[in-house]
Amino acid sequence: MRILVVEDDQLAAQALTEILSSQNYAVEVASDGIAGWEMVEAYDYDLILLDVMLPRMDGISLCRELRSHGYTMPVLLLTGRDSGHDKAIGLDAGADDYVVKPFDAEELVARVRALLRRSGMASMPVLEWGKLRFDPTSCEVTCNGKPLSLTPKEYALLELFLRNSRRVFSCGMILEHLWSYDETPGEEAVRTHIKGLRQKLKAAGLPPDAIETVYGIGYRLKPLEPTPASPEIAKTTTSEPAEPLKQQAIALLMKTWNRFKGRVSEQVSVIEQAVLALQSHALTAELRQQARQEAHTLAGSLGTFGFPEGSRLARQIEQLIQGEKLLGEKECRSLQQWVMALRHEIERPPHGQHLLPESEDESRPLLLVVDPDRVLAEQIVAEAQKNGLRGAIALSLSAARRQFHSDRPDVVLLDLEIAEHLEDGLALLADLNRHTPPTPILVYSAQADVNDRLAIAQQGRHTFLQKPLPPDQILEIVLRVLQRIDKAASRVMIVDDDVGTLSTLQTLLRPWGLHVTTLADPRHFLETLEACSPDLLILDVEMPHISGIELCRVVRNDSRWGGLPILFLTAHTEPEVVNQVFTAGADDFISKPIVGPELVTRIMNRLERLKLLRDRAEVDPLTKVANRQKSTQDLDHFLQRARKHGDPLCLAVLDLDALKQINGQYGHAMGDAVLRYLGGLLRQSFYGEDVVARWAGGEFVVGMYGVNQKGAVQRLLKVLDTLKHHAFVPTEPTGNNTPAIDPVPDAQPPLRHVSFSAGVAEFPSHGEDLRSLYRAADEALQQAKQTGRSRIMLAPLPAADQEVAHG
Amino acid sequence: MSKRILVVDNEEYIREVAQICLETVAGWEVLTAASGMEGIAIAIEEKPDAILLDIMMPDMDGIATFQKLQENEATRSIPVVLLTAKVQAADRRRYEALGIRAAIAKPFDPLQLASQVATALNWSL
């Protein structure tokens, strides 16, 4: 719980802070009314303790201001002893309670507690969750009657969850509630405390997942007992939790239902006609038999679609009209009622929809796993969901086709063992390839031999993975493939609860070659953000569950998204809203209704500038490879991955031989031409998981992930070979104004051939971090230079002779 | 490799539902037929591992279809599971006497269909 104390008397403020902190509240102090107002606007508080007499803006006015701006947190006034008038107007201004100065600590704490309780979060003075009892009065927590010893932060965390038992809290939100602004630590701190609290709860005998992780959003207290489904529903659509495969089946069934709803409605019509005819004594034997047949079909199928009551009604109807028995008036009336009820029943949404994950956001990328091994497939899908993707599974060829056409995946992971014969698998591959734009397909297999791989390759360009591979590594590759497709287009992510606005924006932005991801439910914000990794974010201000302003704060609090441009979209243009929006960290503001051209211009401008800035910041203008800063980041990233997975990584330092002489002899334009050529050559030779950068003059750095020393040397030798065979046409040393002449192979002399020297170091034997790897590689480079240039040298391994590879 | 099962039902949406459930949840290959006659033809042609047969169909009902399958050398050994509204003990005894492997009640639970079929046929899921 976070409390703001607005008090100009320093001593009083300090005393209040101490008293409240001792109760595990996070306390912040503002020393005048205006400061108090600004803090309320910037941060979330659960309660405000407000002195009446304040400089700049008095407490009563501040209180009025708060209420008129829709802030609803409880306000506790601090008043002088004899100021009955203050109390009255204070309460009128919207304060909830008051405490008379000099205050009694115990009374103050009790009133704070009462207000927090009253503010609607929980009504019980003692909070309970299963066997857990939390008594805010005595600050005691017990489980099964046994006391639990919690740290102040764990205590506050538990209180937050208990008081808001249904709410999900993101790390950012927890930080806001539990820490005051000036002590706000990183999100790891929240995770550490959650971990600690979980361990203690588990040790006390509570389920280990009492505090649930809601993927991509945050944490919440696990709901105690899921409300049991009614027995009728339970019988047909089962009460067990739907696993991914079953969820998929339900989703497909819903589609089938929607497709056949018309047919079912016709079947009910036949029965209705029969009943009408019966009432007017005109029911033919033929119509009766037809109605009976339809009733039979409906009885046998409606339950399957999630209408158990429909099946029951149809069965009753069937039984009544079968045979040729004459029906009396009473039976006629029953029939009429049942048919009406049946009609009513099929018009409502089927049961079973509740088994589907709540509004699984369709804009998240979908991974289809085609694998006969269900356990592995489910693991991969679980991993995909952790990474913000949606997952679907197909255990057979036909399921793969159906799933592929029913919900087009963004990427497919295909195990060819799904097919008994490779040809069938290849036929599927060919089928899937037929669609435009082509869906990237990752083929993985345990036993594909060279011929198989050749056949697979003939079906188009696919990434091939060798089984077995742990699910998290598979996912890493999947994510990389997804990023690769998206790389070309700028990505825009739009969050708005109004589906109409989303589709308008989609239609507006798509033609501009933008990759647009839309999200209607802000609760899936974080995982969507991770998955989509946008270049620009558009947020609606007002949304259910989480407002755009809150989302904006979350983004701004995360260092990775610090530079992401955020545009707000809203119908509210009052200065307060605008102010709030910018305070939260927005870059721009667009008012609704949307004016197409204006919106597009603003977005395109932002993106252009961003690209320009990014290029300027990351790319060496001469050679078009990354600069040192950018490559350092990338290399650190790859080193981290290598450490995590125990993969090899090589770092090479290259230096052009005799660059100084070239510059001196032919002029700098010639030197530039050589550098430009080498840059292009390196970019062509190293890509994907390689890093290429120019660090200084003629010095380039190449990082090769997943490659050992031997492989690295081979690849570098190839580059060196190409470079050495390339003839550069020198520019006139005296130089007219023409820039460097582009290298022309096989042109007439005088030609100049160039070479480079390089040193290679491998992770982790030569060093664990970039600095030590660079040092080792650079030492090897110096050796290469000293021993005659134009060669690649390995950094010496401890107690091993160094090898030289001549180019 | 994955099992192949033939679903015979005159109602299109029931065939589709059964197909979706068996394909998606169990990963079996599913063939479908809209009548007893078509079912027999496909069974002879494709030799599925099992047949899921609706009992009440116009023209040739499930029982008649089953008997025809029994008469044919090529299809005699294919196990048959009935889909039927009648699953009282007496009904089950009747089916058993005919040589039908099992009967699954209609309407079936779409999510349980695969495991019901697997249990009836002693297949693993």
Side-chain angles (χ1 to χ4, degrees), chain A residues 160-175:
Chain A
L160 183 70
F161 285 129
L162 285 168
R163 287 198 189 276
N164 305 275
S165 57
R166 287 179 181 281
R167 233 176 108 182
V168 181
F169 288 92
S170 68
C171 283
M173 284 151 94
I174 292 174
L175 282 173

Side-chain angles (χ1 to χ4, degrees), chain A residues 236 238 240 245 253 256 259-260 263 267 296 299-301 304-305 311 374 395-398 402 417 420, chain B residues 1 11-14 16-17 19-20 23-29 56 85 106-112 125:
Chain A
T236 52
T238 155
E240 72 184 71
L245 276 171
L253 290 179
T256 304
R259 217 147 41 76
F260 284 99
R263 163 95 180 104
Q267 290 177 310
H296 176 84
S301 60
T304 297
F305 280 118
S311 266
R374 145 195 253 148
L395 300 172
S396 69
L397 283 174
S398 45
R402 178 186 297 281
E417 272 168 56
E420 204 161 349
Chain B
M1 269 294 107
E11 187 56 57
E12 188 186 352
Y13 56 78
I14 296 182
E16 186 165 316
V17 168
Q19 185 173 14
I20 287 171
E23 263 179 18
T24 309
V25 179
W28 299 328
E29 297 286 340
M56 193 166 147
K106 257 190 169 184
F108 55 81
D109 176 340
L111 300 186
Q112 296 302 325
L125 254 193

Side-chain angles (χ1 to χ4, degrees), chain A residues 416 422 426 429 448-460 462 464:
Chain A
L416 284 175
L422 184 65
L426 293 177
L429 202 52
D449 62 20
V450 179
N451 287 331
D452 292 355
R453 291 189 60 162
L454 211 62
I456 295 163
Q458 280 163 359
Q459 292 296 334
H462 302 292
F464 193 88

Side-chain angles (χ1 to χ4, degrees), chain A residues 253-467:
Chain A
L253 290 179
M254 294 295 165
K255 284 192 180 156
T256 304
W257 168 250
N258 286 331
R259 217 147 41 76
F260 284 99
K261 227 164 29 184
R263 163 95 180 104
V264 169
S265 173
E266 277 169 27
Q267 290 177 310
V268 175
S269 299
V270 172
I271 306 174
E272 284 168 342
Q273 280 167 29
V275 173
L276 275 177
L278 184 66
Q279 281 165 341
S280 53
H281 307 286
L283 180 61
T284 61
E286 195 190 353
L287 182 57
R288 182 168 177 164
Q289 172 54 28
Q290 203 190 340
R292 194 215 144 192
Q293 173 73 38
E294 304 295 18
H296 176 84
T297 306
L298 292 171
S301 60
L302 283 178
T304 297
F305 280 118
F307 300 97
E309 180 62 14
S311 266
R312 199 183 62 79
L313 289 164
R315 173 91 59 234
Q316 285 180 335
I317 294 168
E318 183 196 358
Q319 278 163 359
L320 205 57
I321 59 176
Q322 70 187 352
E324 277 145 34
K325 193 173 67 132
L326 277 174
L327 298 175
E329 205 174 308
K330 198 174 140 219
E331 286 156 324
C332 247
R333 263 204 309 281
S334 303
L335 260 185
Q336 198 188 354
Q337 277 169 9
W338 292 340
V339 176
M340 268 171 62
L342 182 60
R343 168 64 67 191
H344 187 73
E345 184 68 10
I346 62 162
E347 301 290 333
R348 58 164 197 80
H351 291 302
Q353 235 152 7
H354 65 283
L355 290 175
L356 286 176
E358 209 179 318
S359 72
E360 226 199 4
D361 202 301
E362 301 226 331
S363 65
R364 285 191 291 155
L366 175 65
L367 165 69
L368 174 60
V369 182
V370 183
D371 195 317
D373 180 350
R374 145 195 253 148
V375 178
L376 177 65
E378 282 179 346
Q379 284 171 350
I380 296 172
V381 163
E383 195 66 30
Q385 282 162 350
K386 267 194 241 171
N387 284 286
L389 306 181
R390 291 180 300 138
I393 297 170
L395 300 172
S396 69
L397 283 174
S398 45
R401 285 200 170 86
R402 178 186 297 281
Q403 198 61 45
F404 187 86
H405 293 294
S406 148
D407 194 357
R408 179 65 52 79
D410 297 279
V411 53
V412 178
L413 187 64
L414 170 67
D415 185 350
L416 284 175
E417 272 168 56
I418 194 93
E420 204 161 349
H421 308 290
L422 184 65
E423 302 84 74
D424 295 338
L426 293 177
L428 174 71
L429 202 52
D431 262 12
L432 303 190
N433 269 333
R434 207 161 290 145
H435 295 273
T436 40
T439 306
I441 300 171
L442 296 154
V443 180
Y444 72 143
S445 169
Q447 53 190 31
D449 62 20
V450 179
N451 287 331
D452 292 355
R453 291 189 60 162
L454 211 62
I456 295 163
Q458 280 163 359
Q459 292 296 334
R461 262 197 79 185
H462 302 292
T463 310
F464 193 88
L465 311 178
Q466 187 77 34
K467 260 188 172 180

Side-chain angles (χ1 to χ4, degrees), chain B residues 16-110:
Chain B
E16 186 165 316
V17 168
Q19 185 173 14
I20 287 171
C21 295
L22 299 178
E23 263 179 18
T24 309
V25 179
W28 299 328
E29 297 286 340
V30 179
L31 311 163
T32 59
S35 70
M37 286 307 288
E38 193 189 345
I40 291 165
I42 293 178
I44 293 169
E45 179 83 9
E46 297 281 341
K47 308 259 183 331
D49 297 301
I51 299 174
L52 195 57
L53 190 57
D54 182 34
I55 198 162
M56 193 166 147
M57 291 186 290
D59 303 326
M60 189 195 288
D61 71 10
I63 300 292
T65 308
F66 171 73
Q67 282 160 346
K68 281 255 186 290
L69 288 166
Q70 289 296 294
E71 285 163 17
N72 192 317
E73 192 63 42
T75 55
R76 184 174 298 164
S77 57
I78 304 174
V80 170
V81 175
L82 273 189
L83 277 176
T84 170
K86 295 199 182 78
V87 286
Q88 302 295 322
D91 300 314
R92 287 191 188 275
R93 276 196 297 278
R94 189 161 54 90
Y95 304 141
E96 205 179 312
L98 286 169
I100 288 167
R101 191 63 69 91
I104 290 172
K106 257 190 169 184
F108 55 81
D109 176 340

